[in-house]
């Protein structure tokens, strides 16, 4: 947790003011932030200096694993994170590619499970990784990427956390995740939970021990209307001990994740936090 607070303080102390064209807001920005999570030791990185939640983040990533392209499907899993980008993003609302209410287009999990080839067939990136890792294979390209510039106009949002690179050393699985942009007060803990979860669940379904997850952020920022709450409230609080993520051990395959798994299969033990902070959200 201290690494998270150190990044927040770094942005406050050394950030540069940048005008964000998409949101129309100013933000304090730094370039390059590196975080890491000890998944093998089950040090679950939920923020404790404000009340944080984990199930929505896991539900969203489970939707990516399933290749969902509709906000309604994400809501059924237990998260409303795609409602705004699917239904309130004016550029997407004006797009001829939008199929109707809740349509997200070809974003995130769609690219991860059905990356289109020029001949009309598709590549299932995730299945290739799972199949290789179950066999003990690491071809140094166990990479899942959601970033497809050729299809940006076919979706409601370019991916922020866009690439996940797995590495297998002996029987220990590692993950390096890359994020181009991060709203630190609101989005970062959400993404931290997802990076941690992705390594933990992939290790479980491929039969390996989980090692470290490495999280690289290129552009880390705090929006101007979030800054007072960060400086005057969150950064004045002392962090508490990290909780543990408990995953149903009966989840044993990619097919399990695609079919019967729900948020009831994930729980957290030992989570304590300070009171919630209602940071403004930039659409």
């Amino acid at each position: 947790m201290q690494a998270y607070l150190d990044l927040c303080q770094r942005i406050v102390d050394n950030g540069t003011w940048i005008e964000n064209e998409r949101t129309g807001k100013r933000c304090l920005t730094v370039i390059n932030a590196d975080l890491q999570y000890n998944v093998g030791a089950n040090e679950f990185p939920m923020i404790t200096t404000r009340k944080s939640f984990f199930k929505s983040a896991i539900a969203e990533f489970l939707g990516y694993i399933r290749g969902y392209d509709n906000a309604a499907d994400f809501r059924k899993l237990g998260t409303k994170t795609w409602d705004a980008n699917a239904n309130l993003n004016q550029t997407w609302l004006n797009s001829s590619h939008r199929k109707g209410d809740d349509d997200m287009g070809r974003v995130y999990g769609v690219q991860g499970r059905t990356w289109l080839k020029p001949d009309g067939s598709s590549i299932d990136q995730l299945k290739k990784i799972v199949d290789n890792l179950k066999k003990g294979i690491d071809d140094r390209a166990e990479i899942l990427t959601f970033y497809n510039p050729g299809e940006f106009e076919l979706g409601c949002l370019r991916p922020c956390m866009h690439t996940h690179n797995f590495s297998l050393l002996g029987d220990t699985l590692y993950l390096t995740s890359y994020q181009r942009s991060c709203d630190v007060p609101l989005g970062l803990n959400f993404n931290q939970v997802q990076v941690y979860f992705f390594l933990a669940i992939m290790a479980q379904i491929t039969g390996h021990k989980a090692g470290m997850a490495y999280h690289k952020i290129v552009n880390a920022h705090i929006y101007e209307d979030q800054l007072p709450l960060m400086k005057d409230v969150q950064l004045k609080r002392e962090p508490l001990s990290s909780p543990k993520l408990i995953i149903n051990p009966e989840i044993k395959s990619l097919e399990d994740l695609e079919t019967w798994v729900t948020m009831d299969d994930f729980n957290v033990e030992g989570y304590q936090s300070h009171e919630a902070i209602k940071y403004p959200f930039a659409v």
Side-chain angles (χ1 to χ4, degrees):
M1 291 305 98
Q2 191 58 50
Y4 167 86
L5 294 174
D6 289 346
L7 173 58
C8 294
Q9 192 67 59
R10 176 187 162 201
I11 297 171
V12 169
D13 293 341
N14 302 313
T16 299
W17 284 109
I18 299 294
E19 296 281 349
N20 185 262
E21 182 178 351
R22 182 179 67 86
T23 63
K25 296 182 178 181
R26 290 204 314 161
C27 48
L28 271 179
T29 303
V30 299
I31 300 301
N32 191 50
D34 290 292
L35 300 171
Q36 60 185 48
Y37 320 119
N38 193 337
V39 183
N42 204 350
E43 296 175 0
F44 192 45
M46 280 182 70
I47 295 302
T48 61
T49 47
R50 66 170 173 83
K51 188 171 181 59
S52 184
F53 302 90
F54 74 97
K55 287 200 172 183
S56 181
I58 291 179
E60 182 183 72
F61 211 89
L62 182 58
Y64 297 163
I65 289 172
R66 293 178 175 178
Y68 285 167
D69 66 355
N70 192 284
D73 290 325
F74 282 88
R75 287 197 298 274
K76 290 174 185 175
L77 278 177
T79 182
K80 298 180 179 180
T81 52
W82 280 95
D83 287 5
N85 282 308
N87 298 307
L88 299 178
N89 181 332
Q90 195 59 51
T91 300
W92 180 237
L93 293 178
N94 294 338
S95 172
S96 62
H97 301 292
R98 186 172 183 265
K99 299 174 183 177
D101 291 348
D102 286 325
D103 180 44
M104 296 158 48
R106 291 189 54 78
V107 297
Y108 282 87
V110 179
Q111 301 292 350
R113 301 306 306 268
T114 55
W115 183 289
L116 293 181
K117 298 170 64 176
D119 64 4
S121 63
S122 64
I123 299 171
D124 188 337
Q125 299 180 69
L126 182 59
K127 188 175 186 304
K128 174 263 186 184
I129 296 169
V130 170
D131 289 347
N132 273 4
L133 294 178
K134 287 177 71 173
K135 298 172 185 175
I137 297 171
D138 176 1
D139 65 4
R140 301 181 185 174
E142 304 302 343
I143 298 171
L144 175 72
T145 185
F146 304 139
Y147 203 82
N148 186 349
E151 294 192 349
F152 282 164
E153 74 279 6
L154 302 183
C156 64
L157 183 71
R158 292 178 299 165
C160 292
M161 191 161 65
H162 57 83
T163 299
H164 303 274
N165 193 157
F166 288 93
S167 301
L168 188 60
L169 296 180
D171 63 351
T172 302
L173 187 64
Y174 298 83
L175 172 63
T176 306
S177 296
Y178 300 88
Q179 187 166 356
R180 65 173 179 84
S181 174
C182 185
D183 175 339
V184 171
L186 273 180
L188 178 52
N189 196 213
F190 199 89
N191 296 131
Q192 289 177 292
V193 167
Q194 291 183 332
V195 171
Y196 184 103
F197 163 73
F198 198 23
L199 176 56
I201 199 65
M202 286 288 281
Q204 182 164 313
I205 68 172
T206 60
H208 298 291
K209 295 189 298 186
M212 298 295 295
Y214 301 99
H215 185 182
K216 177 174 281 294
I217 303 165
V218 176
N219 183 302
H221 49 268
I222 299 173
Y223 283 98
E224 188 170 18
D225 54 6
Q226 298 169 334
L227 192 59
L229 287 171
M230 176 58 73
K231 291 172 62 177
D232 300 332
V233 181
Q234 189 162 2
L235 282 173
K236 295 185 181 298
R237 295 174 174 177
E238 289 295 322
L240 306 174
S241 299
S242 296
K244 296 182 182 299
L245 177 65
I246 308 302
I247 299 175
N248 183 351
E250 294 303 311
I251 302 173
K252 297 177 180 178
S253 68
L254 180 57
E255 184 179 6
D256 290 342
L257 292 171
E258 293 168 335
T259 54
W260 58 263
V261 172
T262 72
M263 291 310 100
D264 291 336
D265 294 298
F266 309 98
N267 288 289
V268 163
E269 288 185 354
Y271 181 60
Q272 294 181 312
S273 74
H274 294 268
E275 293 180 359
I277 301 174
K278 293 185 178 180
Y279 282 111
F281 173 67
V283 177

